[in-house]
Amino acid sequence: NHGSKDVRNIAAGIKYMEDNLHKNITVEQLAKMCSVSTSCFIRAFKKYSGLTPKEYLLNLKIEKAKDMLSSNIFRINEISDFLGFSSPAYFSYLFKKKTNMSPNEFRG
């Protein structure tokens, strides 16, 4: 099955994203890790998930942020730093765009 070969080609990249949410990960790095070209990686990834690698990574980060917000242990700037966002304001902007709530509203 051609589809499963695509997933095998990008599996290492997907796992790396899931395990390294705190790092600034580029698509080029992921493609190199999977020994495929960047365009091949993006194409296979989109076929697998329906998203670009960047969108998928952002979704993973937002889910992790929700967990961290729910725990009430971390401040927003700590979550932003931990997940590798350029600033707490940018993190809050993306969080609101994805969830229709600010991090503070989500935390309730």
Side-chain angles (χ1 to χ4, degrees):
N1 177 337
H2 184 65
S4 64
K5 179 183 173 292
D6 284 341
V7 173
R8 261 201 322 276
N9 284 348
I10 62 170
I14 294 166
K15 175 131 182 54
Y16 185 81
M17 278 195 244
E18 290 168 351
D19 294 345
N20 293 280
L21 290 179
H22 58 290
K23 291 187 179 158
N24 192 358
I25 301 167
T26 67
V27 178
E28 291 75 19
Q29 274 177 303
L30 295 170
K32 191 179 227 173
M33 191 180 296
C34 296
S35 305
V36 295
S37 71
T38 301
S39 59
C40 180
F41 183 85
I42 293 169
R43 198 169 39 250
F45 199 96
K46 203 152 176 134
K47 193 188 238 178
Y48 158 75
S49 70
L51 301 168
T52 66
K54 279 187 171 15
E55 289 167 332
Y56 184 82
L57 183 59
L58 179 58
N59 287 348
L60 289 176
K61 288 185 179 207
I62 295 297
E63 287 309 307
K64 180 66 176 172
K66 287 179 181 177
D67 291 345
M68 293 175 82
L69 286 164
S70 297
S71 75
N72 271 325
I73 298 169
F74 306 98
R75 295 197 305 268
I76 288 168
N77 63 326
E78 292 171 324
I79 295 170
S80 171
D81 283 351
F82 176 77
L83 293 174
F85 289 97
S86 54
S87 71
Y90 187 58
F91 161 65
S92 295
Y93 164 77
L94 289 173
F95 189 90
K96 185 162 186 136
K97 199 172 161 185
K98 285 279 181 194
T99 66
N100 293 318
M101 278 185 253
S102 71
N104 282 326
E105 287 168 336
F106 179 84
R107 181 175 268 165

